[in-house]
Amino acid sequence: MNMESNCQKIEAIVSESLAKANRDRSDVTVVAVTKTKPVEQVAELYRLGYRHFAENRLEGLDEKQAALPQDDIIWHFIGTLQTRKVKNVINRIDYFHALDRLSLAKEINARAEQPVSCFVQVNVTGEESKHGLSPAALLDFVYQLEEYPNVKVVGLMTMAPIEATDKELQHCFKGLKQLQEKVAALQLPYAPCTETSMGMSQDYPIAIAEGSTFVRIGSAFFAETEE
C-alpha cells in the first residue's frame, strides 16, 4: 500500500469534482475515517497533512488520541453513539455526525462542557437498515432541539445506499442538500445548519457535485495501490 499515492489520487478527484461544480477547495473538508485502522497508518495520514479524523467506537478514539498529537487534530465521531457512552466521548470530539433521537440530544446536553457541533442524521432514502430521521420528521426534531443549548446543529448527514446507481446517489444527496437549505432558512440561532456531511469512498465525487461540505473517506486511503 502506498498511502501517499492514495492521498494524491483522492485530492485529484476532490479537486476535479469541485472544479466541475464551480466550487473552491476550501468548500469541502476531507474527513479521514480511521476506524479499525492501526495507529501507524493514521500517523502516516497525519504526516501527509490530514487533520480531520473520524472514529466510531470509544476504544478506537482512546487508542488514536493517546498516540497522536492533540493540538491540531479535529476529531469526528461517526456512527451510532449509545446514550450510556456519551459521557466518555462527547467532550473529546469536535463534531458528532449521527444525532438521530431526542434522548441522545438530552444526554449530550447534560454531559457536554460546551456546545457540541452536531450533524442531524437523515435517512433520505428510507432504508430500513439505516439510522436517521425521516425527511418528514426533520423540522419538528430540529425545533425541539432548542431545549438543549449544548447541541449546536451545524448541518445534516446521510448515508447513501451501498449499491445505488449514480442517478440514485444524485437523488439522495440532492435531497439532503435541499433539507439542509430548508433548515438553514429558518435562521435558528442554535441550528445554523450550513453544512452537509455526505459522501464516502465509493461515492464522494457525486456528493461533492451535489454540494457536500464534509466527505467521510475511509477505504480509499488504505486501498492497495496497483503497481
Side-chain angles (χ1 to χ4, degrees):
M1 177 178 62
N2 186 330
M3 195 171 294
E4 185 168 1
S5 177
N6 287 344
C7 291
Q8 290 171 351
K9 182 178 179 181
I10 289 168
E11 288 300 325
I13 293 172
V14 168
S15 295
E16 180 182 4
S17 302
L18 285 165
K20 288 180 178 178
N22 293 315
R23 302 176 66 199
D24 296 328
R25 180 61 183 87
S26 59
D27 290 343
V28 171
T29 297
V30 174
V31 181
V33 178
T34 54
K35 61 182 184 179
T36 76
K37 301 302 178 183
V39 167
E40 294 77 16
Q41 291 183 358
V42 183
E44 177 67 1
L45 281 179
Y46 180 89
R47 185 189 72 79
L48 291 167
Y50 290 89
R51 293 297 182 269
H52 287 259
F53 296 105
E55 290 289 324
N56 69 335
R57 294 183 181 277
L58 174 60
E59 296 77 15
L61 190 66
D62 285 340
E63 180 186 30
K64 307 297 169 41
Q65 288 191 336
L68 295 167
Q70 289 298 302
D71 56 345
D72 63 346
I73 290 180
I74 307 299
W75 292 101
H76 300 249
F77 199 88
I78 60 176
T80 301
L81 178 60
Q82 294 174 303
T83 305
R84 63 185 176 84
K85 292 189 176 181
V86 167
K87 62 181 182 295
N88 299 317
V89 170
I90 208 63
N91 291 307
R92 299 164 55 189
I93 61 173
D94 299 284
Y95 290 93
F96 175 54
H97 287 248
L99 180 59
D100 61 357
R101 58 197 189 277
L102 285 176
S103 60
L104 183 56
K106 181 178 180 180
E107 186 68 11
I108 290 172
N109 187 67
R111 300 290 185 174
E113 296 170 359
Q114 59 188 12
V116 178
S117 295
C118 296
F119 289 87
V120 174
Q121 184 170 357
V122 185
N123 187 350
V124 176
T125 60
E127 284 185 280
E128 291 185 5
S129 61
K130 293 282 196 301
H131 290 274
L133 297 157
S134 70
L138 175 62
L139 291 185
D140 282 346
F141 180 78
V142 170
Y143 282 128
Q144 291 178 79
L145 294 178
E146 185 175 14
E147 298 181 32
Y148 308 112
N150 280 334
V151 173
K152 181 180 180 181
V153 180
V154 296
L156 306 181
M157 184 277 274
T158 199
M159 295 177 66
I162 294 175
E163 298 182 354
T165 64
D166 286 359
K167 187 174 182 179
E168 289 169 338
L169 290 171
Q170 290 168 346
H171 179 75
C172 175
F173 296 143
K174 189 186 297 289
L176 189 78
K177 180 63 179 176
Q178 290 171 345
L179 290 169
Q180 173 260 310
E181 291 174 341
K182 185 177 293 187
V183 176
L186 299 174
Q187 297 185 320
L188 302 172
Y190 61 91
C193 202
T194 55
E195 313 296 336
T196 48
S197 172
M198 58 188 189
M200 300 190 293
S201 290
Q202 70 273 16
D203 55 27
Y204 68 92
I206 294 176
I208 290 173
E210 297 300 337
S212 179
T213 59
F214 285 75
V215 290
R216 311 179 304 273
I217 301 176
S219 59
F221 279 116
F222 308 102
E224 293 296 328
T225 305
E226 295 182 4
E227 296 296 333

